[in-house]
Amino acid sequence: MALPALNPCKTPNRRLQSINPPIFSFSKTSSPKITKLKKYPLITMSSQQQNPLPHVALTNNDHKEEVMSTIKSSISNCLSETHLDVTVPELKSKIRGKVRDIYDGGDYLVMVTTDRQSAFDRILASIPFKGQVLNETSLWWFNKTQHITPNAVVSVPDRNVTIVRKCSVFPVEFVVRGYVTGSTDTSLWTVYNKGVRNYCGNSLPDGLVKNQKLRENILTPTTKAADHDVPVTPDEIVQRGLMTQADYDEVSRRAMSLFEFGQRVALDHGLILVDTKYEFGKGPDGQIYLIDEVHTPDSSRYWIAHSYQERFQNGLEPENIDKEFLRLWFRSHCNPYEDEVLPDAPEELVSELAWRYIFLFETITNSRFEMPGTKEPVHDRISRNVLQALSSLQ
């Protein structure tokens, strides 16, 4: 099958010193500090691994072939479901999200990032190593953005798990966009192409074309209704009581700052951060925290920078390293919003998406993605690590 065109609190930024995500140890009264806990040893990088990796091609390179071989042999062993409420006595209940399984741990929430792949508010497939990639990518960005906003992370006991403080979540997703693109019903290009010129309080000029850079970044918040995203204006957010004006102003400021910072970092690594979403909540202390995930290939769209301009001028889709090509495949093979049963995603596309997620992690972090060991079943490993982590938090 021919694949489509490829298109947490103020502390100094510091380079991550491990292949695995750092263990975050936050006190309840002080700013978070990143520490290595002896209970959960990290595998440190060799001096060679700590040096920036050379920019490698997204296709046709020896490293990809090696990674793809492991991916293909792991398709049948994805982490599609977890049952920590059965294996970890301290956990009281489970909420199954599209990608994350969230467990109530008393003062904390245990968030397990699975390999489930979602789009169109549906589960489309399971992608090998996706959960680990998302968790580790997000943690890298949480570390790098602490100067912009505190986040809810308490500890990271496992490659797929983050333990967070409980927050009262704002029922608004803060979507920031830098380009006119997308294929979902709420994407900027979809609505613009239908003639919409005022979107979520933003006035858009005539004459824009798909994948064009906006004159300035814009915020297009959404809220949830019946399991799908609904665009909303800032005035409507306050009028409906979803957020106070003060909270909205503060969160929107942080969202825009996060995105601008993310764009600069991405460009330094040869990537364009096209758009993304952020979620925030308020802790018992009244402080606003960044929650969920940040700048992952699930929550964000990334393009390869060096080829963008030429492809745009020639009317070609940008080289992407997010899930857009999988969205487009489903768009062309079914109605993903209305069909009761969806077709199975081809293994070629599943493997390609797994590679692109790993490629993004390695490109952003300048480190090799470490494949998890296979001696211990992944659910057993997660259960053991979460049990130890919760015991240390008592």
Side-chain angles (χ1 to χ4, degrees):
M1 172 180 296
L3 292 172
L6 297 181
N7 306 228
C9 326
K10 298 180 179 178
T11 57
N13 287 349
R14 65 197 77 181
R15 184 181 181 83
L16 296 186
Q17 297 297 315
S18 65
I19 298 176
N20 296 328
I23 299 300
F24 287 77
S25 178
F26 291 9
S27 72
K28 294 184 178 180
T29 58
S30 64
S31 298
K33 296 181 180 180
I34 299 175
T35 58
K36 294 181 181 179
L37 304 183
K38 293 182 178 180
K39 283 192 175 183
Y40 318 114
L42 300 174
I43 301 173
T44 57
M45 291 191 291
S46 66
S47 58
Q48 180 180 9
Q49 289 171 312
Q50 290 176 6
N51 293 328
L53 296 173
H55 285 297
V56 296
L58 188 51
T59 59
N60 302 325
N61 66 81
D62 293 339
H63 178 54
K64 177 179 179 178
E65 291 182 8
E66 179 184 352
V67 173
M68 285 290 275
S69 176
T70 305
I71 289 171
K72 290 177 180 179
S73 66
S74 303
I75 285 180
S76 61
N77 294 315
C78 291
L79 181 66
S80 300
E81 297 291 341
T82 67
H83 305 283
L84 299 190
D85 49 336
V86 175
T87 58
V88 181
E90 287 85 350
L91 299 181
K92 302 174 181 179
S93 63
K94 170 186 174 180
I95 298 175
R96 186 182 187 273
K98 293 186 183 72
V99 175
R100 288 169 183 79
D101 289 342
I102 304 173
Y103 296 88
D104 188 342
D107 292 335
Y108 310 101
L109 295 178
V110 177
M111 303 177 65
V112 184
T113 310
T114 73
D115 296 331
R116 298 192 295 264
Q117 181 64 56
S118 72
F120 310 107
D121 297 308
R122 306 278 294 271
I123 303 300
L124 303 182
S126 290
I127 310 299
F129 313 123
K130 179 198 166 185
Q132 179 181 337
V133 171
L134 292 186
N135 204 46
E136 295 185 356
T137 302
S138 201
L139 289 167
W140 189 88
W141 280 109
F142 275 135
N143 182 24
K144 295 296 184 182
T145 57
Q146 293 180 85
H147 66 291
I148 299 174
T149 180
N151 59 67
V153 178
V154 175
S155 70
V156 185
D158 185 272
R159 304 171 191 269
N160 289 72
V161 180
T162 300
I163 298 178
V164 301
R165 69 181 77 231
K166 284 185 175 179
C167 292
S168 176
V169 181
F170 295 119
V172 176
E173 290 188 352
F174 286 75
V175 183
V176 189
R177 306 178 188 275
Y179 292 76
V180 187
T181 192
S183 61
T184 65
D185 285 353
T186 57
S187 72
L188 190 54
W189 171 246
T190 300
V191 298
Y192 185 87
N193 198 37
K194 292 179 179 179
V196 175
R197 293 296 180 268
N198 194 301
Y199 190 53
C200 300
N202 300 284
S203 180
L204 303 170
D206 290 328
L208 298 178
V209 298
K210 189 179 182 186
N211 302 324
Q212 183 174 347
K213 189 179 189 303
L214 293 166
R215 181 172 299 178
E216 59 184 11
N217 297 329
I218 63 173
L219 183 61
T220 60
T222 64
T223 185
K224 292 288 186 181
D227 295 326
H228 65 276
D229 296 338
V230 178
V232 64
T233 68
D235 288 344
E236 289 171 335
I237 290 172
V238 176
Q239 291 167 4
R240 295 179 188 178
L242 302 177
M243 300 178 69
T244 66
Q245 186 68 59
D247 284 343
Y248 176 81
D249 291 344
E250 177 59 26
V251 172
S252 59
R253 182 193 65 78
R254 295 190 196 184
M256 297 299 286
S257 295
L258 284 167
F259 189 66
E260 291 164 4
F261 176 78
Q263 285 182 310
R264 292 197 300 272
V265 173
L267 196 57
D268 286 344
H269 293 78
L271 302 173
I272 296 174
L273 177 60
V274 179
D275 51 40
T276 194
K277 75 172 181 68
Y278 306 106
E279 295 188 53
F280 292 84
K282 186 172 287 190
D285 56 0
Q287 185 167 198
I288 294 173
Y289 295 97
L290 177 63
I291 63 172
D292 196 39
E293 60 184 325
V294 56
H295 297 165
T296 72
D298 251 21
S299 66
S300 313
R301 195 187 317 268
Y302 286 92
W303 294 337
I304 303 296
H306 74 82
S307 62
Y308 163 73
Q309 194 62 39
E310 180 179 357
R311 295 182 69 88
F312 174 71
Q313 291 174 346
N314 291 328
L316 301 175
E317 288 294 310
E319 293 184 278
N320 71 60
I321 43 177
D322 50 54
K323 61 186 178 182
E324 180 68 7
F325 78 93
L326 190 65
R327 288 194 193 105
L328 294 175
W329 185 89
F330 275 92
R331 275 281 202 184
S332 66
H333 288 78
C334 65
N335 185 331
Y337 287 108
E338 297 181 7
D339 291 354
E340 184 175 348
V341 179
L342 301 182
D344 292 334
E347 284 194 4
E348 294 94 329
L349 297 189
V350 168
S351 298
E352 180 66 24
L353 185 56
W355 157 246
R356 294 187 192 194
Y357 276 34
I358 291 172
F359 176 89
L360 175 64
F361 170 83
E362 295 188 336
T363 303
I364 285 291
T365 67
N366 284 329
S367 65
R368 291 295 189 204
F369 177 77
E370 185 186 1
M371 299 293 180
T374 58
K375 292 183 179 180
E376 182 179 19
V378 62
H379 198 280
D380 291 352
R381 185 199 76 206
I382 290 174
S383 298
R384 173 174 52 80
N385 286 336
V386 169
L387 183 61
Q388 289 181 327
L390 292 177
S391 296
S392 72
L393 291 172
Q394 299 300 322

